[in-house]
Amino acid sequence: MLPDWLLAELDTVPDYDAFAGVDELHAGLRAIAERYPDIATLHRCGSSRQGDPLWCLSIDRRPGERPGEAPEALAFGLPHPNEPIGGLTALHLAERLCADEVLRERLGHRWRIVDCADPDGLRLNEGWLRGPFTRANYARHFYRPAGRDQVEWNFPINHQTAYFDAPMPETQALMRLIDEHRPALVASLHNSELGGAYYWLNRAEPALHPVLKEVPQHLGIPLDRGEPEAAGLNMLDEAIYEAAALEKVYEKTIADGAPWFEGGGSTTWYADRWGALMLVSELPYWLDPRVDDTGPAGVSYAQALAANAAGLGELAELLNRSVDAVEGQLLAPDSPFWRAARFFASLVRDAAAGRRTRSELPASDRPATVAEASSLESHVHEWRLRYGGILLRALQGEAAVGNVRHSVRAALSEIEQRYADWLAEDTAGGELEPIEIRRLVSVQYAATIAAAAHLAHTL
């Protein structure tokens, strides 16, 4: 049962008919600062690679509070620019903290709130933010950066053979906030795409877990009991995964005989230096009622993995072949779309190989649940539309700037046809029901303030 004060806070979340773009988020944060000058201060905390400002709203627990009088909390939206729920959550969190003295005292923290950590990337998703909220409209305007361009995964690391020291400007802005304020809580406001709700915590907090699980179910969003994002994850509780420390991840990677990935580290690893509790809240856009069905699917887990591997393998072949065919003949080879297209072509190929290997392990010879089988099946459709869509946008961009080379025209023609086929296949089973934006923001908002209250012993 959720505490009364938290239930009351759920009722404060307004209705939304669209997600917010960069300019709307910045205007919203600025307006909050102007309404509450006694406790809120807006300052520019950094810049994007293309020169867009990054804004941070600082909120004192009470007027005139001095640094060090209360623990700090950091919340930031859009760690991935295709995940705009967190921008609205950041604005609502800021508004409620400024408006309600009792809530500020209950949560017991001074807050730093960044509305959008990746404005450049969000601008490349703005084509779908106002709807219609169909899979087709979302997919055709989708953008997700390459790994090295992801703010959340660009922090410096230096552990044994794992080394990275070239964080991009957006990540440097978060680094400065973390190092200057040493937050006790860091809330990274993510979202997924299909399925149910789930979380990441960097350490077990048993008193917090029941609330995190109850909030989405109270709002009619099931917990995600399907295939996790990666194999071998440690579950702290149902639908709560461990965001493991760098040292632990490194040791497991090396023990498994896998090469350490190139690129930066996560926010979790960087904030660990100050002992922060890291909370990542993942919410889907579309409701799939199968995500919490733990009944038998009628196939083995190995069969479900093998089917997933086959679908991803087919996609990987097309993506990599298309990218290879046009390399060296592009007019804008370093555009965000081409960097992403290359990255995800490799990622899909590696994922297919990993799933294929797992399908052959003895441990996979067991019945699959409906949640597992359905999530593995929908995962193929999701990646076709996501990463095939990025390649399509990259090729369309080449055509738009006048690249009429045969290889580019041929690749564009093939991807356009295949993409139309994928869209038709995806909608053949009926359009999935989009979840009200208000409910999505409510889950993220409630999870964030519940974590703060938990640390303040007022939950």
Side-chain angles (χ1 to χ4, degrees):
M1 188 68 180
L2 297 175
D4 290 342
W5 73 269
L6 192 58
L7 288 171
E9 283 302 317
L10 291 175
D11 292 337
T12 68
V13 180
D15 289 326
Y16 302 94
D17 59 8
F19 294 105
V22 176
D23 295 334
E24 294 170 275
L25 291 174
H26 289 348
L29 213 59
R30 187 175 303 110
I32 293 170
E34 291 171 353
R35 284 197 298 273
Y36 303 100
D38 290 344
I39 58 167
T41 305
L42 185 66
H43 71 281
R44 184 169 179 169
C45 61
S47 304
S48 73
R49 283 156 294 173
Q50 296 193 39
D52 232 329
L54 273 67
W55 295 102
C56 176
L57 187 70
S58 298
I59 304 172
D60 294 336
R61 185 179 49 170
R62 56 180 71 102
E65 186 171 45
R66 296 178 180 179
E69 291 184 11
E72 298 267 358
L74 168 66
F76 58 96
L78 283 301
H80 290 133
N82 59 294
E83 301 176 359
I85 298 171
L88 295 177
T89 303
L91 290 187
H92 185 68
L93 173 64
E95 176 67 35
R96 287 296 301 139
L97 288 169
C98 289
D100 195 321
E101 178 183 358
V102 173
L103 179 63
R104 292 197 305 272
E105 290 292 340
R106 177 184 290 277
L107 302 187
H109 290 72
R110 301 179 79 217
W111 290 80
R112 315 289 165 175
I113 299 177
V114 177
D115 57 342
C116 180
D118 188 355
D120 295 349
L122 180 56
R123 292 192 188 280
L124 298 181
N125 278 281
E126 288 185 345
W128 68 268
L129 297 183
R130 304 202 67 82
F133 297 112
T134 62
R135 294 262 285 162
N137 189 55
Y138 168 76
R140 287 190 178 280
H141 298 93
F142 174 91
Y143 167 73
R144 185 179 178 92
R148 280 180 175 256
D149 295 338
Q150 294 181 9
V151 178
E152 183 83 289
W153 282 95
N154 204 244
F155 287 83
I157 51 176
N158 186 4
H159 178 73
Q160 297 192 34
T161 62
Y163 187 81
F164 179 80
D165 66 353
M168 60 194 194
E170 297 90 333
T171 305
Q172 292 179 39
L174 293 179
M175 289 168 58
R176 287 191 293 270
L177 289 172
I178 291 170
D179 288 338
E180 180 179 352
H181 302 292
R182 304 184 180 187
L185 171 65
V186 176
S188 182
L189 304 173
H190 283 254
N191 62 259
S192 55
E193 186 169 315
L194 297 176
Y198 63 100
Y199 304 92
W200 298 83
L201 290 174
N202 61 329
R203 62 178 186 255
E205 295 286 344
L208 177 61
H209 298 177
V211 175
L212 293 180
K213 293 188 295 182
E214 178 63 24
V215 165
Q217 296 179 101
H218 175 80
L219 291 161
I221 300 173
L223 296 178
D224 197 312
R225 296 179 170 92
E227 182 71 9
E229 289 188 38
L233 296 176
N234 180 39
M235 291 192 71
L236 301 175
D237 206 326
E238 189 176 38
I240 302 176
Y241 295 96
E242 180 189 18
L246 167 62
E247 295 79 7
K248 187 174 181 179
V249 176
Y250 182 88
E251 289 170 6
K252 185 179 187 303
T253 302
I254 301 306
D256 289 345
W260 183 255
F261 62 87
E262 295 184 6
S266 71
T267 315
T268 301
W269 297 346
Y270 195 79
D272 272 348
R273 65 183 60 195
W274 307 119
L277 172 63
M278 185 78 186
L279 168 67
V280 176
S281 306
E282 302 268 14
L283 283 305
Y285 300 120
W286 290 278
L287 190 63
D288 186 340
R290 301 172 296 177
V291 297
D292 65 344
D293 188 342
T294 57
V299 298
S300 71
Y301 185 56
Q303 289 172 317
L305 283 171
N308 176 276
L312 294 184
E314 179 185 358
L315 173 62
E317 188 279 329
L318 174 63
L319 296 180
N320 284 279
R321 173 168 52 81
S322 300
V323 169
D324 291 344
V326 299
E327 287 289 26
Q329 302 182 61
L330 301 173
L331 296 181
D334 197 41
S335 78
F337 292 113
W338 279 116
R339 293 200 301 272
R342 296 183 190 98
F343 174 80
F344 289 114
S346 297
L347 182 146
V348 175
R349 180 187 59 214
D350 294 344
R355 295 277 170 84
R356 190 175 302 111
T357 298
R358 287 174 55 206
S359 73
E360 298 167 354
L361 297 175
S364 297
D365 188 19
R366 61 169 178 80
T369 67
V370 172
E372 289 172 331
S374 63
S375 62
L376 284 165
E377 179 185 3
S378 64
H379 181 241
V380 175
H381 297 290
E382 179 183 323
W383 279 24
R384 283 173 177 170
L385 298 183
R386 276 186 170 205
Y387 306 137
I390 288 175
L391 178 57
L392 178 59
R393 292 184 75 177
L395 289 165
Q396 289 171 334
E398 285 294 312
V401 296
N403 192 336
V404 294
R405 292 180 174 88
H406 173 74
S407 61
V408 173
R409 289 186 288 111
L412 176 57
S413 177
E414 182 178 13
I415 295 298
E416 283 180 329
Q417 181 57 56
R418 293 294 295 277
Y419 203 74
D421 294 341
W422 292 335
L423 286 173
E425 183 179 341
D426 190 66
T427 58
E431 189 67 46
L432 291 172
E433 177 189 352
I435 302 171
E436 291 175 279
I437 298 174
R438 177 190 61 81
R439 287 195 285 158
L440 300 174
V441 172
S442 295
V443 174
Q444 255 186 0
Y445 170 61
T448 302
I449 61 176
H454 167 71
L455 292 179
H457 306 291
T458 58
L459 182 57

